[in-house]
Amino acid sequence: MRAALTSAYKDSLNDTNLLDADYIYSSFERPRNPEFGDLATPLFPYVKVLKKAPDKIFGEVSEALEIPKELGEASFAGGYINWKLNLGDFSKALLDECLSSEKQFGSSQAGAGKRILVEYSSPNIAKPFGIGHLRSTIIGASLKRVFEFLGHETVGINYLGDWGTQFGKMIVAYRTWDGEKAISEDPVRGAYNLYVRFHEEEDSNPSLSDQARKEFKKLEDGNPESVKLWEKFKDVSHREFQRVYDILGVEFDLVTSESFLNDKMESIIGRLTKANLTETSRGALIVNLEEYNLPPALLRKQDGATLYATRDIAGLVYRWNKYNFYESLYIVGSAQADHFKQAFKVIDLLESAENLSDKERMTERVKHIPFGWVKFEDKALSTRRGHLIMLEDVLKKAIYLAKEKIAEKNPDLAKSDNVAEQIGVGAIIYTQLSVRRLKDVNFTWAAALNFEGETGPYLQYTHARLCSLIRKYGKPVPGVERLDSELCEKMFSDQISRSLITTLARFPEELAHVARDYEPSHLCSYLTDLATLFNKFYQRKNSHGKLVRIIDEDENLTAVRMILVECLRRTIERGLNLLGLKAPQEM
RNA sequence: GCCCCCGUAGCUCAGUUGGAUAGAGCAGCAGUUUCCUAAACUGCGGGUCGCAGGUUCAAUUCCUGCCGGGGGUACCA
């Protein structure tokens, strides 16, 4: 819409010498109240320059402008020029693009040739998949889809935590408390109980920690018995994770793990040492980062074993060499912000020390995308202490509730089990995505299982309603040849309709914001706005309080409305899919 | 101590890379269905945008300090 207005006014504005067209173009904003107009230009910056009051400036501008009537009109209020476009041409062009264009509405090629790696989910082996892992999984999967839609090549990476001292702990626990029995009875919960018990007893029995460290060292040295146990833990976890990903509809291009990097750490440690960046401190091999106000990056512990940071640094180098990415994103909780700062700084120092060219450097391309905690009923979730909610339980409960709701609202629905799953899962996903990344979210059953108001099911319901209209119409949705400017102008003359079409037009812009901020919540807000406007449109009444139907006797107008319905349906479906929700046709 | 994040209506949150009278949902109350799906829509009530300064024509938005909550701070990940 900005582009439409700009191209229309650009030439005439250049002649006025009052406002330069570039300013107009860059300062368009949405009026707070849509009744003011479709776009607004604040005049305040000119008050000082021109030493004139805003209304005087507007007077001169409007005289100089000669606004063609068929374009629309400009009015002045509160220091702004409010532009009210004639939406005939605009809406016709928009609906035409949305309905017939070869590329999907909202998609773009802006990201062509820019490969983006997205690491998300990344659960730890030998721990159950809790509600806390959900956020990384959902945010990452959604960002990946959005980038792809914007033309990027993406590589979704699941980096499993399958290495580290925790496995020493697991092995000790397994041997001490008859792990074989526990795991054969219930693989997931059995392993989990061992883990929790270890941490409980560790407090009163510090020798357990020493044992665990020794066991991990044995594992790292390749002790066959240790490796065998470790593989058992991995196997159990893999199966559980896959079940959850199937329910969530989440996929990865690459499933890798910390242990994969085991043989890739020596070379990076060698490079760092050669670059004179390492030192020995308190028996450990470190990169000192004091100068950058960061704790040292530990590469090797006293006993020679490697750490998380060592593997992440090795992973950075490995991925850079293999993928030569435009960007590499790590969707990991904000608690690990310092860890990533350290790892990235080490890379930065190494690249500087080795005098790499800008093209060879990845420093500017690697980003930690942090997110806040998931708390449960106001308590932090801690796997170690057993405060954990199994994601599968949550999903099952949501699906069950959706099933009940369908039985109440639409008992004859075909494939209702399938739809119930889509709705239940959709509700849970939406609760995680609708809040800005960095905020903590407090998981409450009441909010997660609510299907009314600003929720996933609300969007799905709106989609189903749109589908229902198309079914009721009984004919194929009319083609673009049924669109003409005059009809469209009539169609979008009232305020709700205007807001609806101008909001629909914003879809590409909103996706760009999601990508810019790495923030799927923008898309949630946008889709909720769009759905709300449609629901108002759907239920608007004339001055006699009578419902204005979408399908009525006026065939031509109905044709345009049905095109709008189909465009809205596609956009909401597309938006839902980008978020990771299904868009059922009936519910 | 130092560093990072958060602080908007009773609750949960939006707030367009500074802009007009700060908006939704939930909860509460009152309505709307001769049914294009009421999982919706309409109306009502509800706010010192944590506090204090600063920058600016303009600050919920940027800067500084403080308060409150959370997190991190070398051999866990």
Side-chain angles (χ1 to χ4, degrees), chain A residues 60 69 89 125 142 186 230 319 332 340 374 377 384 406 454 480 491 520 526 567:
Chain A
E60 293 178 28
K69 265 207 200 89
D89 287 336
I125 303 289
S142 174
D186 184 338
W230 170 70
R319 288 183 198 174
V332 180
F340 282 106
V374 181
E377 309 278 346
R384 296 186 184 186
I406 290 172
E454 290 174 353
V480 290
M491 162 88 203
Y526 168 74
C567 290

Side-chain angles (χ1 to χ4, degrees), chain A residues 99 186 235 249 399 457 478 558:
Chain A
L99 196 65
D186 184 338
D235 186 51
I399 293 166
T558 298

Side-chain angles (χ1 to χ4, degrees), chain A residues 269 272 277-281 284-301 305-314 316 338-347 349:
Chain A
I269 291 176
L272 288 165
L277 292 167
T278 57
E279 58 185 78
T280 305
S281 165
L285 186 70
I286 67 160
V287 177
N288 192 325
L289 298 173
E290 217 175 337
E291 205 183 317
Y292 310 99
N293 205 11
L294 286 169
L298 268 84
L299 301 175
R300 263 190 215 293
K301 304 196 275 189
T306 55
L307 293 108
Y308 178 49
T310 326
R311 286 182 283 282
D312 256 357
I313 291 166
L316 280 159
D338 276 1
H339 161 75
F340 282 106
K341 275 188 204 159
Q342 290 171 285
F344 297 163
K345 182 46 88 178
V346 168
I347 294 292
L349 290 172

Side-chain angles (χ1 to χ4, degrees), chain A residues 418-539:
Chain A
N418 196 11
V419 174
E421 177 164 331
Q422 296 182 356
I423 294 168
V425 173
I428 300 297
I429 292 178
Y430 188 93
T431 59
Q432 295 299 307
L433 284 182
S434 59
V435 177
R436 249 164 55 229
R437 238 178 45 223
L438 280 168
K439 287 188 83 142
D440 294 348
V441 295
N442 187 19
F443 182 93
T444 61
W445 287 108
L449 302 180
N450 178 32
F451 297 163
E452 290 168 20
E454 290 174 353
T455 63
Y458 174 80
L459 298 177
Q460 292 170 318
Y461 175 75
T462 307
H463 178 265
R465 199 174 229 187
L466 286 157
C467 290
S468 170
L469 275 169
I470 293 168
R471 280 196 303 274
K472 278 275 150 53
Y473 185 59
K475 294 176 274 187
V477 172
V480 290
E481 69 280 356
R482 300 294 297 273
L483 293 168
D484 81 57
S485 298
E486 233 170 276
L487 258 181
C488 286
E489 189 184 343
K490 190 176 168 197
M491 162 88 203
F492 298 107
S493 55
D494 66 291
Q495 191 50 53
I496 290 288
S497 306
R498 288 185 81 86
S499 294
L500 186 56
I501 192 80
T502 56
T503 300
L504 175 64
R506 265 168 43 210
F507 184 53
E509 180 187 339
E510 294 289 338
L511 289 178
H513 290 171
V514 171
R516 178 193 67 195
D517 302 334
Y518 308 103
E519 187 63 272
S521 70
H522 291 330
L523 184 52
C524 289
S525 304
Y526 168 74
L527 289 176
T528 302
D529 278 358
L530 189 63
T532 300
L533 282 166
F534 167 71
N535 282 318
K536 287 179 202 279
F537 175 78
Y538 180 85
Q539 285 172 96

Side-chain angles (χ1 to χ4, degrees), chain A residues 30 39 73 83 96 149 239 258 263 267 309 325 346 421 427 449 454 471 485:
Chain A
R30 281 208 308 280
L39 284 170
E73 54 190 57
W83 311 91
D96 192 325
F149 197 54
R239 270 179 278 160
E258 294 188 57
D263 59 358
S267 77
F325 45 74
V346 168
E421 177 164 331
L449 302 180
E454 290 174 353
R471 280 196 303 274
S485 298

Side-chain angles (χ1 to χ4, degrees), chain A residues 60-165:
Chain A
E60 293 178 28
V61 172
S62 58
E63 243 170 71
L65 263 179
E66 282 192 41
I67 298 159
K69 265 207 200 89
E70 60 270 25
L71 263 178
E73 54 190 57
S75 58
F76 175 82
Y80 290 83
I81 306 176
N82 287 315
W83 311 91
K84 199 152 197 167
L85 297 177
N86 180 332
L87 290 182
D89 287 336
F90 174 81
S91 56
K92 176 172 180 280
L94 177 68
L95 293 175
D96 192 325
E97 182 195 346
C98 189
L99 196 65
S100 67
S101 141
E102 298 216 347
K103 77 177 178 98
Q104 307 264 19
F105 178 56
S107 71
S108 98
Q109 282 308 307
K114 296 175 176 172
R115 179 184 287 154
I116 296 186
L117 272 55
V118 189
E119 180 190 300
Y120 52 100
S121 196
S122 302
N124 291 316
I125 303 289
K127 291 189 199 174
F129 201 102
I131 189 107
H133 291 109
L134 184 60
R135 258 193 126 178
S136 171
T137 309
I138 295 302
I139 291 172
S142 174
L143 287 177
K144 173 180 151 67
R145 288 186 210 102
V146 170
F147 283 125
E148 222 153 73
F149 197 54
L150 299 181
H152 292 272
E153 182 199 334
T154 63
V155 183
I157 301 176
N158 193 2
Y159 179 60
L160 301 170
D162 69 345
W163 208 246
T165 316

Side-chain angles (χ1 to χ4, degrees), chain A residues 269-278 349-354:
Chain A
I269 291 176
R271 267 175 80 184
L272 288 165
T273 306
K274 199 173 164 199
N276 238 343
L277 292 167
T278 57
L349 290 172
L350 180 64
E351 291 179 334
S352 296
E354 292 180 344

